């Protein structure tokens, strides 16, 4: 049977590859080291597939179509943005497992939006490039949630979505070994007068919940509170909720790094989701 063998929380800040030189070099090195630790752990876990949960930033979708959650089940490549300093390449998809998760969701009342062909934006491509591509033979299943622009996926539904994904993987008859990546920034303000502000107090609050495995604590953070203290970009903690809820048992987070990085306009946090004893 397929199984989720691990999970990780990580950023998808486009400046990680697009403009790394504008940030403090020691902080950049710390972030790179943390991504390296993720890659090392994925290899140790002998994972062959990463479910990467991100969100669109009006790059692939727009006012004409705003899906609450979408799964890519076919051809995948990226990145969409040509300024990320990443040459576009094919991203291998675990299509059989992706279709199973899609159908399992349909049967459980989750009306997926589905993409049979997808060009990834930085919301999933940065994590793929930094923490999937370096692992030989790894495949990716991209999942997008409405956590970048309104209308937003409700946090309770994000938890339910994660639980469904976890159940779908467990019900798959293959021998796949899956890791789940919840991606996005912590505090950051996008396109507002406060852009560049980082609220370390908010970031520590959220990371503390991750370390304790407190999914419900994240779910219960109101959008009004998140917007005031973490900015509109911090709505992306929905992706973290999905990843944490997909894990098959009680979890605790091990913090790999936290760097408040105003030049990169966000707090950067990486953590491993580990099964609690």
């Amino acid at each position: 049977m397929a199984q989720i063998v691990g999970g990780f929380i990580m950023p998808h800040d486009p400046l990680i590859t697009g403009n790394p030189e504008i940030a403090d070099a020691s902080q950049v090195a710390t972030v790179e080291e943390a991504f390296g630790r993720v890659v090392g752990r994925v290899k140790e876990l002998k994972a062959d597939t990463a479910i990467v949960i991100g969100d669109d930033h009006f790059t692939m979708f727009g006012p004409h179509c705003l899906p609450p959650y979408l799964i890519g089940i076919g051809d995948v490549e990226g990145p969409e943005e040509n300024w990320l300093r990443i040459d576009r390449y094919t991203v291998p998809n675990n299509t059989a497992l992706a279709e199973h998760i899609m159908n399992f969701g349909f049967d459980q009342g989750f009306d997926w939006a589905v993409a049979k062909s997808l060009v990834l934006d930085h919301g999933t491509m940065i994590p793929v490039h930094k923490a999937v591509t370096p692992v030989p033979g790894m495949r990716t299943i991209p999942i997008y949630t409405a956590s970048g622009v309104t209308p937003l996926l409700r946090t309770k539904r994000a938890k339910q979505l994660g639980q469904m994904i976890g159940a779908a993987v467990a019900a798959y008859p293959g021998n796949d070994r899956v890791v789940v990546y919840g991606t996005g920034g912590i505090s950051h303000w996008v396109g507002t007068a406060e852009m560049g502000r980082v609220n370390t107090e908010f970031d520590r609050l959220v990371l503390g919940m991750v370390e304790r495995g407190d999914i419900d604590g994240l779910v219960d953070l109101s959008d009004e509170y998140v917007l005031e203290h973490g900015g509109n970009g911090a709505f992306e903690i929905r992706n973290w909720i999905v990843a944490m809820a997909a894990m098959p048992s009680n979890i605790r987070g091990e913090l790999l790094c936290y760097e408040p990085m105003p030049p990169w306009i966000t707090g950067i946090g990486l953590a491993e989701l580990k099964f609690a004893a």
Side-chain angles (χ1 to χ4, degrees), residues 193-237:
E194 294 180 280
M195 191 164 176
R197 175 189 172 196
V198 174
N199 185 347
T200 57
E201 183 177 351
F202 174 85
D203 292 348
R204 292 292 186 186
L205 171 71
V206 172
L207 290 170
M209 292 180 182
V210 172
E211 290 178 292
R212 296 189 300 274
D214 185 6
I215 302 172
D216 289 333
L218 293 175
V219 169
D220 290 341
L221 289 175
S222 71
D223 287 346
E224 293 77 15
Y225 180 89
V226 171
L227 183 62
E228 178 181 357
H229 298 280
N232 55 344
F235 290 141
E236 291 174 341
I237 61 173

Side-chain angles (χ1 to χ4, degrees), residues 178-201:
V178 179
V179 287
V180 183
Y181 296 171
T183 81
I186 321 175
S187 65
H188 62 299
W189 284 256
V190 181
T192 73
E194 294 180 280
M195 191 164 176
R197 175 189 172 196
V198 174
N199 185 347
T200 57
E201 183 177 351

Side-chain angles (χ1 to χ4, degrees), residues 8-12 51-55 122-124 127 147 181-185 236-240 243:
F8 299 87
I9 300 300
M10 65 187 67
H12 61 221
I51 297 175
V52 181
I53 301 150
D55 55 278
H122 70 268
T124 50
S147 59
Y181 296 171
T183 81
E236 291 174 341
I237 61 173
R238 286 162 168 76
N239 300 331
W240 297 21

Side-chain angles (χ1 to χ4, degrees), residues 90-103:
T90 298
V91 177
N93 187 352
N94 188 336
T95 54
L97 180 56
E99 289 191 13
H100 167 80
I101 294 171
M102 174 193 72
N103 285 316

